[in-house]
Amino acid sequence: MELNERQHKIIEIVREQAPITGEQIAEHLNVTRATLRPDLSILTMSGFLEARPRVGYFYTGQTSETLLNEEIRKLTVGDFQSVPIVISEAASAYQAVCEMFVEDVGSLFVIDEKGLLAGVLSRKDLLRTAIGSQDMNQVPVSVIMSRMPNIAYCRQNDTVVDVADLLITKEVDSVPVVHTKGQGFEVVGRMTKTNITKAFVSLGKRK
Amino acid sequence: MELNERQHKIIEIVREQAPITGEQIAEHLNVTRATLRPDLSILTMSGFLEARPRVGYFYTGQTSETLLNEEIRKLTVGDFQSVPIVISEAASAYQAVCEMFVEDVGSLFVIDEKGLLAGVLSRKDLLRTAIGSQDMNQVPVSVIMSRMPNIAYCRQNDTVVDVADLLITKEVDSVPVVHTKGQGFEVVGRMTKTNITKAFVSLGKRK
């Protein structure tokens, strides 16, 4: 919502001098209390100010940006995740590249014999191996993957914005979405920068 | 902003019966015109309703989601782009892989002898070449790149959400940010899913 100039001034005054009464705000602005009444109702009902009887107005710290913030934090991983593509620890780097092209994904999750998360394999890991001197058919993925417990992951009820932050902080393109299972993690989904980009588009385009 | 139950009802009534006067809305709700005054001010000032003198209230179609929408469309490429990493058309695929690792980027922009955009090279293009039978030192990047004019690009004043949509639609991880120069494009930046992810984090985290 767009505030007018006087409403912005009122917020400034309350921020600096809270608690402050309506009368005192009116004095500052050289207008009557009656003139201010609609502005103060708007600011209170929209959450910018809080009015406490017999005390005065307080600044809540709420701005249109924090309201935007709340909308964004409603988006959770469960609504935006993709299907995970997994590969066995025993598979070769060559098989992994083929799987990546067939499934058209940028990362694979490596699972152990119990079906639990063992590692993550990125296009970058495979490209590094491919330009090395070894035969891709002879290199098992377990040698070149990022290995547990050094793997960032998320849960289905995490917010999309927290996962976005995790991808940036850890400098990875994707994280597995996991459920705890026994001593390890079962992989139930995949959150990538593509999923974040789709979430961003959905925010900007929805009617 | 959070509307209360009566404000939601008012919006419903106006949506169905516009133009409608404050008196008529009050009758519908079995309250006095005076009781409704603060609600109507809030709804008008926050852009949900429009009041036309001597006619009545209209529904603007504006919701908190369209307001969110507007905030998001304020983000432009110029504020989020990265530095572009370019490579000459004559370079080999091997040189391109090295450049990609040294600069730690997922795509390179290929330029011709005039310094204009000729193509885009992704990690996927290079991985495909690397597992092929050819010697990476013998393959020029011009053979394996995506080539103009089949390249998606953007401008510095485009919105971040339009570029996000472009990345999803074209199924690419990055697009060059360009300026027109003569008959071609000069590359002045890079917009990737990483930049989109950062923009998303900035929206969700800003105070």
Side-chain angles (χ1 to χ4, degrees), chain A residues 7 42 45 65 68-69 72 104 124 162 165 193-194 198 201 203-206, chain B residues 7 42 45 65 68-69 72 104 124 162 165 168 193-194 203-206:
Chain A
Q7 289 160 355
I42 299 266
M45 295 193 68
E65 295 210 332
L68 170 69
N69 216 299
I72 290 172
D104 196 22
K124 197 171 159 183
D162 283 343
D165 200 21
K193 286 176 183 166
T194 304
K198 285 180 180 170
V201 171
L203 273 181
K205 300 268 165 179
R206 64 180 171 178
Chain B
Q7 287 160 356
I42 300 267
M45 296 194 65
E65 294 210 334
L68 170 70
N69 217 299
I72 290 172
D104 195 22
K124 197 170 158 185
D162 283 343
D165 201 20
I168 296 299
K193 286 177 182 165
T194 304
L203 273 181
K205 302 266 165 178
R206 63 182 174 179

PDB file of all heavy atoms in Angstrom, chain A residues 7 42 45 65 68-69 72 104 124 162 165 193-194 198 201 203-206, chain B residues 7 42 45 65 68-69 72 104 124 162 165 168 193-194 203-206:
ATOM      1  N   GLN A   7       1.409  10.566   6.300  1.00  0.00           N
ATOM      2  CA  GLN A   7       1.484   9.273   6.998  1.00  0.00           C
ATOM      3  C   GLN A   7       2.939   8.865   7.244  1.00  0.00           C
ATOM      4  O   GLN A   7       3.285   8.351   8.304  1.00  0.00           O
ATOM      5  CB  GLN A   7       0.714   8.203   6.206  1.00  0.00           C
ATOM      6  CG  GLN A   7      -0.799   8.420   6.277  1.00  0.00           C
ATOM      7  CD  GLN A   7      -1.569   7.734   5.171  1.00  0.00           C
ATOM      8  OE1 GLN A   7      -0.994   7.148   4.269  1.00  0.00           O
ATOM      9  NE2 GLN A   7      -2.892   7.823   5.240  1.00  0.00           N
ATOM     10  N   ILE A  42      -5.666   4.426   9.664  1.00  0.00           N
ATOM     11  CA  ILE A  42      -5.019   3.673   8.591  1.00  0.00           C
ATOM     12  C   ILE A  42      -3.725   3.036   9.085  1.00  0.00           C
ATOM     13  O   ILE A  42      -3.483   1.847   8.876  1.00  0.00           O
ATOM     14  CB  ILE A  42      -4.639   4.625   7.426  1.00  0.00           C
ATOM     15  CG1 ILE A  42      -5.857   5.293   6.840  1.00  0.00           C
ATOM     16  CG2 ILE A  42      -3.825   3.883   6.370  1.00  0.00           C
ATOM     17  CD1 ILE A  42      -6.434   4.610   5.676  1.00  0.00           C
ATOM     18  N   MET A  45      -4.527   0.242  11.672  1.00  0.00           N
ATOM     19  CA  MET A  45      -5.157  -0.953  11.119  1.00  0.00           C
ATOM     20  C   MET A  45      -4.262  -1.677  10.132  1.00  0.00           C
ATOM     21  O   MET A  45      -4.396  -2.883   9.939  1.00  0.00           O
ATOM     22  CB  MET A  45      -6.493  -0.601  10.474  1.00  0.00           C
ATOM     23  CG  MET A  45      -7.472  -0.101  11.519  1.00  0.00           C
ATOM     24  SD  MET A  45      -9.157  -0.010  10.898  1.00  0.00           S
ATOM     25  CE  MET A  45      -9.552  -1.728  10.668  1.00  0.00           C
ATOM     26  N   GLU A  65       7.692  -3.706   3.558  1.00  0.00           N
ATOM     27  CA  GLU A  65       8.682  -4.748   3.246  1.00  0.00           C
ATOM     28  C   GLU A  65       8.571  -5.947   4.175  1.00  0.00           C
ATOM     29  O   GLU A  65       8.765  -7.070   3.752  1.00  0.00           O
ATOM     30  CB  GLU A  65      10.086  -4.164   3.300  1.00  0.00           C
ATOM     31  CG  GLU A  65      10.279  -3.120   2.220  1.00  0.00           C
ATOM     32  CD  GLU A  65      11.698  -3.024   1.733  1.00  0.00           C
ATOM     33  OE1 GLU A  65      12.608  -3.338   2.518  1.00  0.00           O
ATOM     34  OE2 GLU A  65      11.889  -2.636   0.580  1.00  0.00           O
ATOM     35  N   LEU A  68       5.715  -7.958   2.882  1.00  0.00           N
ATOM     36  CA  LEU A  68       6.166  -8.698   1.703  1.00  0.00           C
ATOM     37  C   LEU A  68       6.912  -9.948   2.151  1.00  0.00           C
ATOM     38  O   LEU A  68       6.681 -11.059   1.673  1.00  0.00           O
ATOM     39  CB  LEU A  68       7.096  -7.793   0.895  1.00  0.00           C
ATOM     40  CG  LEU A  68       7.876  -8.412  -0.256  1.00  0.00           C
ATOM     41  CD1 LEU A  68       6.955  -8.792  -1.385  1.00  0.00           C
ATOM     42  CD2 LEU A  68       8.925  -7.438  -0.767  1.00  0.00           C
ATOM     43  N   ASN A  69       7.821  -9.713   3.093  1.00  0.00           N
ATOM     44  CA  ASN A  69       8.566 -10.750   3.757  1.00  0.00           C
ATOM     45  C   ASN A  69       7.707 -11.919   4.237  1.00  0.00           C
ATOM     46  O   ASN A  69       8.023 -13.088   4.007  1.00  0.00           O
ATOM     47  CB  ASN A  69       9.158 -10.055   4.983  1.00  0.00           C
ATOM     48  CG  ASN A  69      10.506 -10.563   5.314  1.00  0.00           C
ATOM     49  OD1 ASN A  69      10.626 -11.736   5.595  1.00  0.00           O
ATOM     50  ND2 ASN A  69      11.493  -9.691   5.253  1.00  0.00           N
ATOM     51  N   ILE A  72       6.394 -14.062   1.420  1.00  0.00           N
ATOM     52  CA  ILE A  72       7.422 -14.922   0.842  1.00  0.00           C
ATOM     53  C   ILE A  72       7.698 -16.115   1.732  1.00  0.00           C
ATOM     54  O   ILE A  72       7.919 -17.224   1.258  1.00  0.00           O
ATOM     55  CB  ILE A  72       8.707 -14.107   0.578  1.00  0.00           C
ATOM     56  CG1 ILE A  72       8.445 -13.134  -0.567  1.00  0.00           C
ATOM     57  CG2 ILE A  72       9.881 -15.011   0.272  1.00  0.00           C
ATOM     58  CD1 ILE A  72       9.545 -12.153  -0.797  1.00  0.00           C
ATOM     59  N   ASP A 104      18.335 -35.245 -17.603  1.00  0.00           N
ATOM     60  CA  ASP A 104      18.496 -33.801 -17.755  1.00  0.00           C
ATOM     61  C   ASP A 104      18.478 -33.060 -16.412  1.00  0.00           C
ATOM     62  O   ASP A 104      17.690 -32.133 -16.192  1.00  0.00           O
ATOM     63  CB  ASP A 104      17.432 -33.223 -18.695  1.00  0.00           C
ATOM     64  CG  ASP A 104      17.805 -31.824 -19.166  1.00  0.00           C
ATOM     65  OD1 ASP A 104      19.007 -31.489 -19.113  1.00  0.00           O
ATOM     66  OD2 ASP A 104      16.911 -31.064 -19.582  1.00  0.00           O
ATOM     67  N   LYS A 124      29.815 -30.295 -12.131  1.00  0.00           N
ATOM     68  CA  LYS A 124      31.176 -29.796 -11.972  1.00  0.00           C
ATOM     69  C   LYS A 124      32.122 -30.934 -11.545  1.00  0.00           C
ATOM     70  O   LYS A 124      33.230 -31.048 -12.079  1.00  0.00           O
ATOM     71  CB  LYS A 124      31.146 -28.702 -10.896  1.00  0.00           C
ATOM     72  CG  LYS A 124      32.333 -27.784 -10.857  1.00  0.00           C
ATOM     73  CD  LYS A 124      32.002 -26.638  -9.894  1.00  0.00           C
ATOM     74  CE  LYS A 124      33.227 -25.946  -9.380  1.00  0.00           C
ATOM     75  NZ  LYS A 124      32.856 -24.902  -8.395  1.00  0.00           N
ATOM     76  N   ASP A 162      14.708 -19.934   3.003  1.00  0.00           N
ATOM     77  CA  ASP A 162      15.816 -20.480   3.784  1.00  0.00           C
ATOM     78  C   ASP A 162      16.678 -21.419   2.932  1.00  0.00           C
ATOM     79  O   ASP A 162      17.902 -21.428   3.057  1.00  0.00           O
ATOM     80  CB  ASP A 162      15.300 -21.212   5.034  1.00  0.00           C
ATOM     81  CG  ASP A 162      14.883 -20.235   6.135  1.00  0.00           C
ATOM     82  OD1 ASP A 162      15.289 -19.057   6.061  1.00  0.00           O
ATOM     83  OD2 ASP A 162      14.146 -20.648   7.051  1.00  0.00           O
ATOM     84  N   ASP A 165      18.816 -19.345   0.638  1.00  0.00           N
ATOM     85  CA  ASP A 165      19.945 -18.822   1.400  1.00  0.00           C
ATOM     86  C   ASP A 165      21.018 -19.905   1.574  1.00  0.00           C
ATOM     87  O   ASP A 165      22.215 -19.637   1.445  1.00  0.00           O
ATOM     88  CB  ASP A 165      19.415 -18.367   2.773  1.00  0.00           C
ATOM     89  CG  ASP A 165      20.362 -17.386   3.444  1.00  0.00           C
ATOM     90  OD1 ASP A 165      21.178 -16.760   2.739  1.00  0.00           O
ATOM     91  OD2 ASP A 165      20.279 -17.260   4.677  1.00  0.00           O
ATOM     92  N   LYS A 193      18.465 -24.447  -7.832  1.00  0.00           N
ATOM     93  CA  LYS A 193      18.298 -23.034  -8.182  1.00  0.00           C
ATOM     94  C   LYS A 193      17.189 -22.872  -9.226  1.00  0.00           C
ATOM     95  O   LYS A 193      16.589 -21.813  -9.324  1.00  0.00           O
ATOM     96  CB  LYS A 193      19.618 -22.439  -8.671  1.00  0.00           C
ATOM     97  CG  LYS A 193      20.598 -22.209  -7.516  1.00  0.00           C
ATOM     98  CD  LYS A 193      21.952 -21.703  -7.981  1.00  0.00           C
ATOM     99  CE  LYS A 193      22.884 -21.563  -6.782  1.00  0.00           C
ATOM    100  NZ  LYS A 193      24.301 -21.386  -7.225  1.00  0.00           N
ATOM    101  N   THR A 194      16.921 -23.940  -9.985  1.00  0.00           N
ATOM    102  CA  THR A 194      15.792 -23.895 -10.925  1.00  0.00           C
ATOM    103  C   THR A 194      14.475 -23.808 -10.165  1.00  0.00           C
ATOM    104  O   THR A 194      13.592 -23.015 -10.516  1.00  0.00           O
ATOM    105  CB  THR A 194      15.799 -25.148 -11.836  1.00  0.00           C
ATOM    106  OG1 THR A 194      17.061 -25.217 -12.492  1.00  0.00           O
ATOM    107  CG2 THR A 194      14.676 -25.098 -12.862  1.00  0.00           C
ATOM    108  N   LYS A 198      11.751 -20.810 -10.270  1.00  0.00           N
ATOM    109  CA  LYS A 198      10.315 -20.998 -10.513  1.00  0.00           C
ATOM    110  C   LYS A 198       9.471 -20.371  -9.402  1.00  0.00           C
ATOM    111  O   LYS A 198       8.423 -19.777  -9.672  1.00  0.00           O
ATOM    112  CB  LYS A 198       9.986 -22.491 -10.637  1.00  0.00           C
ATOM    113  CG  LYS A 198      10.433 -23.075 -11.966  1.00  0.00           C
ATOM    114  CD  LYS A 198      10.105 -24.564 -12.067  1.00  0.00           C
ATOM    115  CE  LYS A 198      10.584 -25.100 -13.420  1.00  0.00           C
ATOM    116  NZ  LYS A 198      10.507 -26.576 -13.481  1.00  0.00           N
ATOM    117  N   VAL A 201       9.369 -16.680 -10.051  1.00  0.00           N
ATOM    118  CA  VAL A 201       8.440 -16.355 -11.140  1.00  0.00           C
ATOM    119  C   VAL A 201       6.994 -16.423 -10.629  1.00  0.00           C
ATOM    120  O   VAL A 201       6.183 -15.540 -10.907  1.00  0.00           O
ATOM    121  CB  VAL A 201       8.623 -17.316 -12.338  1.00  0.00           C
ATOM    122  CG1 VAL A 201       7.521 -17.118 -13.383  1.00  0.00           C
ATOM    123  CG2 VAL A 201       9.988 -17.096 -12.976  1.00  0.00           C
ATOM    124  N   LEU A 203       5.848 -15.892  -7.695  1.00  0.00           N
ATOM    125  CA  LEU A 203       5.561 -14.713  -6.861  1.00  0.00           C
ATOM    126  C   LEU A 203       5.276 -13.496  -7.715  1.00  0.00           C
ATOM    127  O   LEU A 203       4.369 -12.712  -7.436  1.00  0.00           O
ATOM    128  CB  LEU A 203       6.774 -14.361  -5.995  1.00  0.00           C
ATOM    129  CG  LEU A 203       6.953 -15.020  -4.653  1.00  0.00           C
ATOM    130  CD1 LEU A 203       8.208 -14.463  -4.009  1.00  0.00           C
ATOM    131  CD2 LEU A 203       5.753 -14.778  -3.756  1.00  0.00           C
ATOM    132  N   GLY A 204       6.075 -13.335  -8.762  1.00  0.00           N
ATOM    133  CA  GLY A 204       5.980 -12.131  -9.575  1.00  0.00           C
ATOM    134  C   GLY A 204       4.826 -12.151 -10.563  1.00  0.00           C
ATOM    135  O   GLY A 204       4.347 -11.119 -11.006  1.00  0.00           O
ATOM    136  N   LYS A 205       4.372 -13.358 -10.907  1.00  0.00           N
ATOM    137  CA  LYS A 205       3.367 -13.454 -11.961  1.00  0.00           C
ATOM    138  C   LYS A 205       1.965 -13.700 -11.429  1.00  0.00           C
ATOM    139  O   LYS A 205       1.008 -13.600 -12.160  1.00  0.00           O
ATOM    140  CB  LYS A 205       3.717 -14.607 -12.920  1.00  0.00           C
ATOM    141  CG  LYS A 205       5.059 -14.465 -13.602  1.00  0.00           C
ATOM    142  CD  LYS A 205       4.949 -13.767 -14.943  1.00  0.00           C
ATOM    143  CE  LYS A 205       6.330 -13.322 -15.407  1.00  0.00           C
ATOM    144  NZ  LYS A 205       6.332 -12.667 -16.702  1.00  0.00           N
ATOM    145  N   ARG A 206       1.832 -14.126 -10.150  1.00  0.00           N
ATOM    146  CA  ARG A 206       0.495 -14.539  -9.749  1.00  0.00           C
ATOM    147  C   ARG A 206      -0.470 -13.365  -9.665  1.00  0.00           C
ATOM    148  O   ARG A 206      -0.095 -12.253  -9.349  1.00  0.00           O
ATOM    149  CB  ARG A 206       0.518 -15.351  -8.452  1.00  0.00           C
ATOM    150  CG  ARG A 206       0.983 -14.619  -7.229  1.00  0.00           C
ATOM    151  CD  ARG A 206       0.932 -15.597  -6.060  1.00  0.00           C
ATOM    152  NE  ARG A 206       1.555 -15.025  -4.885  1.00  0.00           N
ATOM    153  CZ  ARG A 206       1.614 -15.656  -3.730  1.00  0.00           C
ATOM    154  NH1 ARG A 206       1.098 -16.843  -3.593  1.00  0.00           N
ATOM    155  NH2 ARG A 206       2.192 -15.081  -2.705  1.00  0.00           N
TER     156      ARG A 206
ATOM    157  N   GLN B   7     -14.060  -5.884   6.587  1.00  0.00           N
ATOM    158  CA  GLN B   7     -13.438  -5.293   5.400  1.00  0.00           C
ATOM    159  C   GLN B   7     -13.521  -6.259   4.208  1.00  0.00           C
ATOM    160  O   GLN B   7     -13.775  -5.844   3.079  1.00  0.00           O
ATOM    161  CB  GLN B   7     -11.989  -4.895   5.718  1.00  0.00           C
ATOM    162  CG  GLN B   7     -11.932  -3.652   6.627  1.00  0.00           C
ATOM    163  CD  GLN B   7     -10.627  -3.491   7.359  1.00  0.00           C
ATOM    164  OE1 GLN B   7      -9.745  -4.333   7.275  1.00  0.00           O
ATOM    165  NE2 GLN B   7     -10.491  -2.404   8.108  1.00  0.00           N
ATOM    166  N   ILE B  42      -9.749   2.950   5.044  1.00  0.00           N
ATOM    167  CA  ILE B  42      -8.658   1.983   4.917  1.00  0.00           C
ATOM    168  C   ILE B  42      -8.665   1.339   3.539  1.00  0.00           C
ATOM    169  O   ILE B  42      -7.638   1.269   2.864  1.00  0.00           O
ATOM    170  CB  ILE B  42      -8.836   0.829   5.948  1.00  0.00           C
ATOM    171  CG1 ILE B  42      -8.835   1.350   7.372  1.00  0.00           C
ATOM    172  CG2 ILE B  42      -7.795  -0.257   5.721  1.00  0.00           C
ATOM    173  CD1 ILE B  42      -7.511   1.338   8.022  1.00  0.00           C
ATOM    174  N   MET B  45      -7.747   3.979   0.836  1.00  0.00           N
ATOM    175  CA  MET B  45      -6.352   4.433   0.862  1.00  0.00           C
ATOM    176  C   MET B  45      -5.377   3.309   0.555  1.00  0.00           C
ATOM    177  O   MET B  45      -4.270   3.552   0.088  1.00  0.00           O
ATOM    178  CB  MET B  45      -6.026   5.091   2.195  1.00  0.00           C
ATOM    179  CG  MET B  45      -6.860   6.358   2.372  1.00  0.00           C
ATOM    180  SD  MET B  45      -6.276   7.420   3.691  1.00  0.00           S
ATOM    181  CE  MET B  45      -4.677   7.909   3.055  1.00  0.00           C
ATOM    182  N   GLU B  65      -1.886  -9.506  -3.143  1.00  0.00           N
ATOM    183  CA  GLU B  65      -0.966 -10.187  -4.061  1.00  0.00           C
ATOM    184  C   GLU B  65      -0.512  -9.298  -5.207  1.00  0.00           C
ATOM    185  O   GLU B  65       0.630  -9.390  -5.630  1.00  0.00           O
ATOM    186  CB  GLU B  65      -1.615 -11.451  -4.610  1.00  0.00           C
ATOM    187  CG  GLU B  65      -1.841 -12.459  -3.503  1.00  0.00           C
ATOM    188  CD  GLU B  65      -1.775 -13.891  -3.975  1.00  0.00           C
ATOM    189  OE1 GLU B  65      -2.035 -14.142  -5.159  1.00  0.00           O
ATOM    190  OE2 GLU B  65      -1.453 -14.742  -3.142  1.00  0.00           O
ATOM    191  N   LEU B  68       2.180  -7.157  -3.754  1.00  0.00           N
ATOM    192  CA  LEU B  68       3.415  -7.938  -3.654  1.00  0.00           C
ATOM    193  C   LEU B  68       4.100  -7.975  -5.008  1.00  0.00           C
ATOM    194  O   LEU B  68       5.303  -7.745  -5.141  1.00  0.00           O
ATOM    195  CB  LEU B  68       3.040  -9.354  -3.216  1.00  0.00           C
ATOM    196  CG  LEU B  68       4.116 -10.433  -3.266  1.00  0.00           C
ATOM    197  CD1 LEU B  68       5.151 -10.199  -2.198  1.00  0.00           C
ATOM    198  CD2 LEU B  68       3.491 -11.805  -3.071  1.00  0.00           C
ATOM    199  N   ASN B  69       3.284  -8.285  -6.009  1.00  0.00           N
ATOM    200  CA  ASN B  69       3.680  -8.272  -7.393  1.00  0.00           C
ATOM    201  C   ASN B  69       4.434  -7.015  -7.813  1.00  0.00           C
ATOM    202  O   ASN B  69       5.482  -7.068  -8.439  1.00  0.00           O
ATOM    203  CB  ASN B  69       2.358  -8.311  -8.168  1.00  0.00           C
ATOM    204  CG  ASN B  69       2.467  -9.124  -9.398  1.00  0.00           C
ATOM    205  OD1 ASN B  69       3.267  -8.787 -10.251  1.00  0.00           O
ATOM    206  ND2 ASN B  69       1.693 -10.193  -9.474  1.00  0.00           N
ATOM    207  N   ILE B  72       7.915  -6.803  -6.330  1.00  0.00           N
ATOM    208  CA  ILE B  72       8.860  -7.698  -6.995  1.00  0.00           C
ATOM    209  C   ILE B  72       9.299  -7.130  -8.337  1.00  0.00           C
ATOM    210  O   ILE B  72      10.457  -7.240  -8.717  1.00  0.00           O
ATOM    211  CB  ILE B  72       8.235  -9.098  -7.158  1.00  0.00           C
ATOM    212  CG1 ILE B  72       8.130  -9.743  -5.784  1.00  0.00           C
ATOM    213  CG2 ILE B  72       9.040  -9.960  -8.109  1.00  0.00           C
ATOM    214  CD1 ILE B  72       7.370 -11.029  -5.766  1.00  0.00           C
ATOM    215  N   ASP B 104      35.240 -20.084 -11.766  1.00  0.00           N
ATOM    216  CA  ASP B 104      34.148 -20.710 -11.022  1.00  0.00           C
ATOM    217  C   ASP B 104      32.767 -20.229 -11.494  1.00  0.00           C
ATOM    218  O   ASP B 104      31.960 -19.729 -10.716  1.00  0.00           O
ATOM    219  CB  ASP B 104      34.308 -20.479  -9.515  1.00  0.00           C
ATOM    220  CG  ASP B 104      33.411 -21.418  -8.709  1.00  0.00           C
ATOM    221  OD1 ASP B 104      33.025 -22.466  -9.253  1.00  0.00           O
ATOM    222  OD2 ASP B 104      33.091 -21.100  -7.553  1.00  0.00           O
ATOM    223  N   LYS B 124      27.232 -28.091 -19.372  1.00  0.00           N
ATOM    224  CA  LYS B 124      26.634 -29.266 -20.011  1.00  0.00           C
ATOM    225  C   LYS B 124      27.240 -29.492 -21.403  1.00  0.00           C
ATOM    226  O   LYS B 124      27.572 -30.619 -21.761  1.00  0.00           O
ATOM    227  CB  LYS B 124      25.126 -29.008 -20.121  1.00  0.00           C
ATOM    228  CG  LYS B 124      24.273 -30.216 -20.370  1.00  0.00           C
ATOM    229  CD  LYS B 124      22.799 -29.798 -20.194  1.00  0.00           C
ATOM    230  CE  LYS B 124      21.852 -30.714 -20.895  1.00  0.00           C
ATOM    231  NZ  LYS B 124      20.450 -30.227 -20.802  1.00  0.00           N
ATOM    232  N   ASP B 162      11.136 -11.105 -15.116  1.00  0.00           N
ATOM    233  CA  ASP B 162      11.052 -11.459 -16.543  1.00  0.00           C
ATOM    234  C   ASP B 162      12.238 -12.323 -16.964  1.00  0.00           C
ATOM    235  O   ASP B 162      12.089 -13.246 -17.768  1.00  0.00           O
ATOM    236  CB  ASP B 162      10.968 -10.193 -17.416  1.00  0.00           C
ATOM    237  CG  ASP B 162       9.574  -9.575 -17.381  1.00  0.00           C
ATOM    238  OD1 ASP B 162       8.627 -10.273 -16.969  1.00  0.00           O
ATOM    239  OD2 ASP B 162       9.439  -8.394 -17.746  1.00  0.00           O
ATOM    240  N   ASP B 165      11.730 -15.830 -15.674  1.00  0.00           N
ATOM    241  CA  ASP B 165      10.788 -16.503 -16.553  1.00  0.00           C
ATOM    242  C   ASP B 165      11.481 -16.972 -17.838  1.00  0.00           C
ATOM    243  O   ASP B 165      11.254 -18.085 -18.315  1.00  0.00           O
ATOM    244  CB  ASP B 165       9.667 -15.502 -16.896  1.00  0.00           C
ATOM    245  CG  ASP B 165       8.409 -16.214 -17.371  1.00  0.00           C
ATOM    246  OD1 ASP B 165       8.248 -17.403 -17.091  1.00  0.00           O
ATOM    247  OD2 ASP B 165       7.587 -15.552 -18.033  1.00  0.00           O
ATOM    248  N   ILE B 168      13.602 -20.088 -17.234  1.00  0.00           N
ATOM    249  CA  ILE B 168      12.761 -21.278 -17.116  1.00  0.00           C
ATOM    250  C   ILE B 168      12.226 -21.700 -18.493  1.00  0.00           C
ATOM    251  O   ILE B 168      12.304 -22.862 -18.878  1.00  0.00           O
ATOM    252  CB  ILE B 168      11.578 -21.021 -16.139  1.00  0.00           C
ATOM    253  CG1 ILE B 168      12.095 -20.750 -14.709  1.00  0.00           C
ATOM    254  CG2 ILE B 168      10.586 -22.185 -16.155  1.00  0.00           C
ATOM    255  CD1 ILE B 168      12.864 -21.885 -14.094  1.00  0.00           C
ATOM    256  N   LYS B 193      20.792 -18.376 -12.649  1.00  0.00           N
ATOM    257  CA  LYS B 193      19.864 -18.814 -11.608  1.00  0.00           C
ATOM    258  C   LYS B 193      20.423 -18.480 -10.224  1.00  0.00           C
ATOM    259  O   LYS B 193      19.662 -18.343  -9.269  1.00  0.00           O
ATOM    260  CB  LYS B 193      19.573 -20.312 -11.758  1.00  0.00           C
ATOM    261  CG  LYS B 193      18.650 -20.583 -12.946  1.00  0.00           C
ATOM    262  CD  LYS B 193      18.408 -22.074 -13.172  1.00  0.00           C
ATOM    263  CE  LYS B 193      17.507 -22.270 -14.399  1.00  0.00           C
ATOM    264  NZ  LYS B 193      17.528 -23.673 -14.870  1.00  0.00           N
ATOM    265  N   THR B 194      21.739 -18.349 -10.128  1.00  0.00           N
ATOM    266  CA  THR B 194      22.338 -17.926  -8.849  1.00  0.00           C
ATOM    267  C   THR B 194      21.930 -16.484  -8.534  1.00  0.00           C
ATOM    268  O   THR B 194      21.570 -16.172  -7.394  1.00  0.00           O
ATOM    269  CB  THR B 194      23.878 -18.036  -8.914  1.00  0.00           C
ATOM    270  OG1 THR B 194      24.210 -19.373  -9.263  1.00  0.00           O
ATOM    271  CG2 THR B 194      24.522 -17.664  -7.583  1.00  0.00           C
ATOM    272  N   LEU B 203      14.716 -10.491  -1.126  1.00  0.00           N
ATOM    273  CA  LEU B 203      13.301 -10.160  -0.894  1.00  0.00           C
ATOM    274  C   LEU B 203      12.829 -10.715   0.439  1.00  0.00           C
ATOM    275  O   LEU B 203      12.106 -10.058   1.181  1.00  0.00           O
ATOM    276  CB  LEU B 203      12.422 -10.800  -1.970  1.00  0.00           C
ATOM    277  CG  LEU B 203      12.178 -10.094  -3.264  1.00  0.00           C
ATOM    278  CD1 LEU B 203      11.254 -10.933  -4.115  1.00  0.00           C
ATOM    279  CD2 LEU B 203      11.566  -8.723  -3.040  1.00  0.00           C
ATOM    280  N   GLY B 204      13.230 -11.941   0.726  1.00  0.00           N
ATOM    281  CA  GLY B 204      12.739 -12.624   1.916  1.00  0.00           C
ATOM    282  C   GLY B 204      13.435 -12.185   3.187  1.00  0.00           C
ATOM    283  O   GLY B 204      12.892 -12.325   4.273  1.00  0.00           O
ATOM    284  N   LYS B 205      14.642 -11.655   3.063  1.00  0.00           N
ATOM    285  CA  LYS B 205      15.423 -11.350   4.260  1.00  0.00           C
ATOM    286  C   LYS B 205      15.468  -9.871   4.610  1.00  0.00           C
ATOM    287  O   LYS B 205      15.887  -9.504   5.689  1.00  0.00           O
ATOM    288  CB  LYS B 205      16.873 -11.839   4.095  1.00  0.00           C
ATOM    289  CG  LYS B 205      17.020 -13.309   3.829  1.00  0.00           C
ATOM    290  CD  LYS B 205      17.240 -14.103   5.110  1.00  0.00           C
ATOM    291  CE  LYS B 205      17.017 -15.583   4.833  1.00  0.00           C
ATOM    292  NZ  LYS B 205      17.254 -16.441   5.993  1.00  0.00           N
ATOM    293  N   ARG B 206      15.092  -9.009   3.647  1.00  0.00           N
ATOM    294  CA  ARG B 206      15.308  -7.592   3.945  1.00  0.00           C
ATOM    295  C   ARG B 206      14.389  -7.101   5.056  1.00  0.00           C
ATOM    296  O   ARG B 206      13.278  -7.559   5.214  1.00  0.00           O
ATOM    297  CB  ARG B 206      15.212  -6.711   2.702  1.00  0.00           C
ATOM    298  CG  ARG B 206      13.877  -6.694   2.024  1.00  0.00           C
ATOM    299  CD  ARG B 206      13.994  -5.800   0.793  1.00  0.00           C
ATOM    300  NE  ARG B 206      12.794  -5.846  -0.003  1.00  0.00           N
ATOM    301  CZ  ARG B 206      12.652  -5.133  -1.123  1.00  0.00           C
ATOM    302  NH1 ARG B 206      13.612  -4.348  -1.543  1.00  0.00           N
ATOM    303  NH2 ARG B 206      11.537  -5.213  -1.809  1.00  0.00           N
TER     304      ARG B 206
END
